[in-house]
Amino acid sequence: MKRYLISPEKKQYRANLHCHSVLSDGHLTPVELRDLYKAHGYEILAITDHERPHCHQDLCEPDFLMITGYEGYLRPDPLCRWNMYAPEVHLNLFARDPMNTTMICFNEAFCKYAARDHALDEIAPRAGSERTREYTLEYINEYIRTARENGYLVAYNHPYWSMDLEEKIEAYEGIFSLEICNYGSWQANGLEYCGSLYDRLLRKGHRVFCHAADDNHNEHPVDDPENDSFGAYTMILAEDLTYDAVFHAMETGEMYASMGPRFHEVSIERNRVHVECSPVKHIYVHNGGKKPGHLHARPGEFLTSADFVIPHDADYIRASIMDGEGLRADTRGFFREEIGFPPQKD
């Protein structure tokens, strides 16, 4: 019996899950961002201003959904001074309740945007320790745990830019998804598509999803090559365009990351995986081993489908595609016990 990992029958909603407005260090208002992303074919936007939770549900429309969230960060410097050569941790917090604007582990040095907003300070609840933030595994896990206990999903942002040690990332508890691509950083360094890191996490048994986002600040106009919008996004396979349905899809991994290519179907039947997609040059199915399933298009041709045998001892699989410009799309990892593969050898 065929089992769909990405079903052709499910609607795919295009989302940017990392975005900054004038409420922190962005250059556009929330209304301008909503209108801009809607005009470019998006249906979902999360404005995740730095340490500045804000509910934007008044900007929702029947065909456009706003997700409540914000970006928290932790640096080695207790005064939050930026150091281009020092590691740090940035986390996106997505609220299960769209009206939830709880501030996690408030600290004035880090929460400068919120601290200056007296109206927000009066109404936003706080949770967790307000002691000086620490760039330690113990404190970071405490921060993540506090966020989860107060109704947030916690995502790990731009791992390459953050310069965080991989062994520390592996030890963070409660991360639901890795930002496999951050377009703003990719624009600057050309390296912020972290598929290899994601595979290493999966190989070590981490049940973490993956997504992609712009992290846009819109310092440059949309038609400028330096503009940081519309380069990476998450396709969310929700039952409908409601907050509960979209959040459930995120929470259960019904989504994939992309810089352009699209998956139409990923399915398993017996011990084979089938991929259908937009025209691409390369299709891969990673299996945790040194040699993933792979198929490459001939010069001047494109691929829209492929089939691969799943190794009998694979712990997980995930599909990855690449178009002629080197832009990728990646599913999350699907583990053996989660989907029951492969039932038998050929």
Side-chain angles (χ1 to χ4, degrees):
M1 183 176 69
K2 181 182 288 190
R3 176 162 184 166
Y4 290 104
L5 309 183
I6 294 179
S7 170
E9 302 301 320
K10 273 200 171 181
K11 168 73 173 176
Q12 298 188 17
Y13 297 100
R14 190 175 182 181
N16 178 18
L17 298 177
H18 192 166
C19 181
H20 299 282
S21 77
V22 294
L23 296 176
S24 61
D25 59 350
H27 290 75
L28 298 179
T29 67
V31 171
E32 289 172 328
L33 287 167
R34 188 271 315 272
D35 292 346
L36 187 64
Y37 272 84
K38 184 176 180 180
H40 281 77
Y42 286 69
E43 293 99 349
I44 301 169
L45 180 66
I47 298 179
T48 52
D49 279 305
H50 296 286
E51 298 289 357
R52 214 284 191 184
H54 194 90
C55 176
H56 296 291
Q57 292 305 292
D58 58 317
L59 300 184
C60 291
E61 296 181 345
D63 57 352
F64 198 89
L65 182 71
M66 302 294 296
I67 299 294
T68 301
Y70 77 98
E71 184 174 22
Y73 56 108
L74 305 102
R75 289 174 173 162
D77 190 304
L79 297 180
C80 193
R81 289 171 295 204
W82 186 67
N83 183 333
M84 186 168 67
Y85 302 101
E88 53 189 277
V89 173
H90 287 224
L91 304 168
N92 265 356
L93 279 56
F94 302 108
R96 180 172 286 103
D97 179 347
M99 307 307 292
N100 180 12
T101 57
T102 302
M103 302 183 69
I104 303 301
C105 299
F106 178 86
N107 178 275
E108 189 166 355
F110 286 80
C111 306
K112 59 182 180 180
Y113 298 108
R116 294 172 188 166
D117 187 340
H118 299 297
L120 177 69
D121 189 52
E122 290 174 1
I123 63 173
R126 296 180 181 178
S129 171
E130 297 188 11
R131 71 182 188 273
T132 300
R133 292 189 179 180
E134 303 168 3
Y135 180 69
T136 63
L137 179 60
E138 180 183 12
Y139 181 88
I140 294 167
N141 278 335
E142 176 187 340
Y143 184 98
I144 296 169
R145 182 172 60 253
T146 303
R148 286 165 50 88
E149 290 172 352
N150 284 273
Y152 289 108
L153 285 179
V154 181
Y156 189 93
N157 297 343
H158 44 62
Y160 182 86
W161 182 93
S162 296
M163 302 177 70
D164 204 14
L165 294 176
E166 185 171 323
E167 53 263 36
K168 286 193 69 176
I169 298 174
E170 293 172 7
Y172 298 148
E173 300 172 352
I175 298 295
F176 98 100
S177 189
L178 177 77
E179 194 177 67
I180 196 172
C181 181
N182 178 292
Y183 184 62
S185 296
W186 186 86
Q187 280 279 73
N189 59 40
L191 296 170
E192 196 72 63
Y193 207 107
C194 301
S196 59
L197 170 62
Y198 184 54
D199 255 13
R200 290 195 296 274
L201 292 175
L202 295 176
R203 282 202 299 270
K204 293 180 180 180
H206 293 275
R207 269 56 171 174
V208 61
F209 306 143
C210 68
H211 66 288
D214 279 336
D215 190 8
N216 53 300
H217 296 72
N218 298 100
E219 181 179 357
H220 303 279
V222 171
D223 59 354
D224 191 299
E226 296 294 326
N227 182 261
D228 53 4
S229 296
F230 321 121
Y233 51 87
T234 302
M235 298 303 295
I236 298 179
L237 286 68
E239 293 297 333
D240 52 52
L241 192 61
T242 60
Y243 200 98
D244 286 347
V246 169
F247 200 90
H248 177 74
M250 292 170 58
E251 194 169 29
T252 56
E254 291 282 317
M255 59 185 185
Y256 65 86
S258 181
M259 294 186 77
R262 300 285 184 93
F263 288 102
H264 301 317
E265 176 184 329
V266 179
S267 58
I268 292 177
E269 190 167 17
R270 292 170 61 88
N271 63 339
R272 295 180 181 273
V273 59
H274 175 70
V275 178
E276 293 185 13
C277 58
S278 58
V280 296
K281 287 290 188 179
H282 313 277
I283 300 177
Y284 305 91
V285 171
H286 296 277
N287 52 45
K290 295 178 180 177
K291 189 176 181 181
H294 57 276
L295 184 65
H296 307 293
R298 295 179 180 276
E301 297 180 358
F302 292 89
L303 304 171
T304 57
S305 66
D307 293 274
F308 304 100
V309 173
I310 304 171
H312 72 277
D313 53 356
D315 288 328
Y316 70 89
I317 61 166
R318 72 176 186 88
S320 180
I321 53 181
M322 183 189 302
D323 69 13
E325 297 180 355
L327 302 179
R328 307 186 68 110
D330 284 82
T331 73
R332 69 172 176 93
F334 295 90
F335 284 84
R336 171 191 296 273
E337 67 274 17
E338 180 183 7
I339 56 178
F341 68 85
Q344 62 183 33
K345 300 181 184 180
D346 268 351

